[in-house]
Amino acid sequence: MPRPIGEVPTAVLPAFGLTIRSEPWSVAVARRVTRAWTRCHCRMSEDRVDAVLIVVSELCTNAVQHSPSESVSVRGLTFPS
């Protein structure tokens, strides 16, 4: 059973963070970094990796298209199961 959010410890390393330019080509960079992180550090199954990549891709694409900012930040954190 999942613990209440107040009882979940802070993120466990490894985590990652990157800032990409707010350009369409940068979304592919975010996907590549996220794919490597989910496979190597999170040890997710391929179907879960694909699901995470869809979410990252959609969020980054929306940020690039709709944000007035020149950059987009992407962070990944792991939590104990």
Side-chain angles (χ1 to χ4, degrees), residues 14-16 33-43 76-78:
F16 81 91
V33 170
T34 302
R35 177 183 293 281
W37 177 70
T38 54
R39 287 175 142 179
C40 297
H41 298 292
C42 299
R43 299 175 190 219
L77 305 171
T78 57

Side-chain angles (χ1 to χ4, degrees), residues 23-39:
E23 299 286 340
W25 58 265
S26 296
V27 177
V29 173
R31 279 195 308 266
R32 282 195 303 273
V33 170
T34 302
R35 177 183 293 281
W37 177 70
T38 54
R39 287 175 142 179

Side-chain angles (χ1 to χ4, degrees), residues 9-81:
T10 56
V12 177
L13 293 178
F16 81 91
L18 74 144
T19 301
I20 58 174
R21 292 187 49 82
S22 191
E23 299 286 340
W25 58 265
S26 296
V27 177
V29 173
R31 279 195 308 266
R32 282 195 303 273
V33 170
T34 302
R35 177 183 293 281
W37 177 70
T38 54
R39 287 175 142 179
C40 297
H41 298 292
C42 299
R43 299 175 190 219
M44 289 184 179
S45 62
E46 198 61 36
D47 60 324
R48 283 192 171 191
V49 170
D50 290 342
V52 169
L53 292 177
I54 290 170
V55 172
V56 167
S57 184
E58 290 293 320
L59 290 173
C60 289
T61 298
N62 287 343
V64 165
Q65 288 180 345
H66 302 293
S67 173
S69 177
E70 293 181 6
S71 63
V72 175
S73 294
V74 180
R75 291 187 293 174
L77 305 171
T78 57
F79 292 93
S81 42

